[in-house]
């Protein structure tokens, strides 16, 4: 999906998914990035996924911290959003620990029901 996005909108490339790399690991342990550049309201949405064999080691936390630092350093970003499945208790707890609060919910064609959480940049 993100490859197609970059093909259609090359300027999105700096914002979209990146590998989560860990010193000593022979391959990336996951992916993290934004869904795209800031929209007209100054909102960016974070996304991250750590491979199951590498979870519970703090990699998602490090990825989220990196994404928040990038967003907060960019003058056009005012709000950072995360969308989380109601069943993904760990991810919801992670974003809430960084001040994200629930602002609504949405239906995603791929992922189903998602809780929308946001924090000021």
């Amino acid at each position: 999906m993100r490859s197609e996005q970059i093909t259609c909108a090359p300027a999105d490339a700096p914002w979209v998914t990146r590998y989560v790399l860990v010193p000593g690991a022979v391959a990336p342990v996951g992916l993290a990035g934004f869904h795209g550049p800031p929209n007209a309201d100054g909102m960016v949405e974070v996304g991250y996924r750590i491979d199951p064999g590498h979870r519970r080691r703090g990699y998602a936390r490090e990825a989220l911290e990196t994404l928040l630092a990038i967003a907060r350093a960019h003058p056009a970003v005012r709000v950072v959003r995360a969308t989380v499945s109601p069943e993904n208790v760990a991810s919801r707890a992670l974003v809430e620990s960084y001040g994200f609060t629930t602002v609504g919910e949405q239906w995603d064609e791929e992922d189903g029901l998602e809780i929308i959480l946001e924090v000021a940049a």
Side-chain angles (χ1 to χ4, degrees), residues 58-81:
Y59 301 144
R61 179 173 298 280
E62 288 183 43
L64 180 59
E65 287 176 0
T66 299
L67 295 172
L68 286 170
I70 292 166
R72 290 178 172 150
H74 196 283
V77 178
R78 292 193 294 276
V79 174
V80 180
R81 174 179 286 178

Side-chain angles (χ1 to χ4, degrees), residues 73-92:
H74 196 283
V77 178
R78 292 193 294 276
V79 174
V80 180
R81 174 179 286 178
T83 56
V84 181
S85 165
E87 290 82 33
N88 193 340
V89 176
S91 188
R92 185 169 180 182

Side-chain angles (χ1 to χ4, degrees), residues 9-58:
D12 288 3
W15 289 95
V16 298
T17 308
R18 308 151 193 232
Y19 290 122
V20 176
L21 303 173
V22 176
V26 296
V29 300
L31 301 170
F34 300 94
H35 290 210
N39 68 13
D41 296 324
M43 186 276 293
V44 291
E45 184 172 344
V46 296
Y48 51 85
R49 182 179 69 238
I50 304 300
D51 294 333
H54 296 283
R55 291 181 181 159
R56 308 297 303 164
R57 298 182 193 173

